[in-house]
Amino acid sequence: MKKNFKKLPWIGAIFMFITVIIFGYAVIITSHFDSYQALVDERIDLISDTSFNQEFIVEKGGRYFVDLNFKKTENFSNLKCQLDISNDDPNLCVEEDAFEVTWTITDEGMEIANGSSLKTRSANYSSENIGRELGWFDATDNSKYTISFYVKQASADLNNLDPRLSIEISPTAYKDEIVFAMLLTQLAIFTFCAGILIFVIWSGILLLNKK
């Protein structure tokens, strides 16, 4: 019994060591998500009748979304007009607010996808930014692509809102990794609690022996 009692702190330490390994592995898995998502995050100038090309490499295949991100302004309704986003009151918008951009994705010169701001009028929102959605395309693992972006018409005021072209992967592309990381995290919590319990039992036995 005394020999087993002396082993308790070592057993507790082993559980803690296992916790660190499991949790560390979960962190390593989730640390790759950002690199998968932000393939392109490029500051661009929205000047009518201009275009540019950007090469990028896809490590993880899946569905990728093309967006234009802007900083929010106090005049939110006006910004929605300038980006041609569905507005509760379309009468607020004027002709000068016309917005049209197009894009194509090529793989070694062959077009595999294209999109336009005219095909969708939706957006995504955060506390500080608004993302004008422009479409999506499917990519394969370890492939090199080029996006050709053309600004047909846009308000010059939009350049004051730090416009950034974004290409990000759909979260569903790495759902298996997320589930696995969550399971590892739960396992790490279990081993941590087991280690703490062993140390509590060991401390309790020490107090009883002193009495």
Side-chain angles (χ1 to χ4, degrees):
M1 182 68 180
K2 288 185 177 180
K3 290 183 177 180
N4 292 333
F5 166 69
K6 291 180 179 180
K7 290 179 180 179
L8 284 179
W10 288 102
I11 296 173
I14 290 173
F15 270 94
M16 291 301 182
F17 180 69
I18 293 173
T19 298
V20 172
I21 292 176
I22 295 174
F23 186 73
Y25 189 46
V27 170
I28 290 173
I29 293 174
T30 55
S31 67
H32 292 298
F33 295 163
D34 288 340
S35 61
Y36 286 152
Q37 284 185 289
L39 288 184
V40 175
D41 182 21
E42 188 76 19
R43 170 68 166 85
I44 64 173
D45 291 322
L46 291 176
I47 302 173
S48 297
D49 196 28
T50 59
S51 62
F52 80 96
N53 298 327
Q54 174 75 43
E55 288 186 346
F56 59 96
I57 296 176
V58 172
E59 294 182 3
K60 183 177 180 64
R63 179 154 293 179
Y64 285 80
F65 294 94
V66 181
D67 293 346
L68 270 177
N69 294 321
F70 300 85
K71 291 182 178 178
K72 281 185 178 178
T73 63
E74 294 181 0
N75 194 343
F76 189 53
S77 294
N78 183 56
L79 177 58
K80 293 175 73 174
C81 287
Q82 292 176 322
L83 295 177
D84 191 28
I85 297 172
S86 297
N87 208 320
D88 297 332
D89 186 3
N91 294 323
L92 291 173
C93 304
V94 296
E95 187 176 348
E96 288 75 11
D97 290 330
F99 177 80
E100 183 178 354
V101 297
T102 62
W103 58 269
T104 59
I105 300 292
T106 56
D107 179 3
E108 295 183 350
M110 181 178 297
E111 182 178 317
I112 63 167
N114 64 72
S116 167
S117 58
L118 300 180
K119 293 182 179 180
T120 174
R121 299 183 65 200
S122 56
N124 53 74
Y125 306 92
S126 68
S127 59
E128 297 181 353
N129 299 304
I130 178 172
R132 177 59 159 89
E133 298 174 359
L134 301 175
W136 54 267
F137 65 95
D138 291 323
T140 56
D141 293 343
N142 302 314
S143 299
K144 188 175 183 179
Y145 298 98
T146 300
I147 182 169
S148 300
F149 193 81
Y150 175 63
V151 182
K152 185 174 182 179
Q153 189 172 3
S155 170
D157 293 340
L158 292 173
N159 289 304
N160 298 324
L161 303 179
D162 190 31
R164 306 189 73 87
L165 176 64
S166 169
I167 297 180
E168 295 186 352
I169 194 171
S170 167
T172 59
Y174 47 87
K175 60 182 179 181
D176 292 339
E177 289 92 335
I178 292 177
V179 171
F180 185 50
M182 290 176 62
L183 291 174
L184 287 177
T185 301
Q186 294 296 320
L187 181 58
I189 292 173
F190 172 78
T191 56
F192 176 77
C193 291
I196 292 295
L197 180 60
I198 290 172
F199 280 117
V200 170
I201 293 173
W202 176 63
S203 299
I205 294 174
L206 281 178
L207 290 174
L208 288 174
N209 288 340
K210 286 181 178 180
K211 292 180 180 179

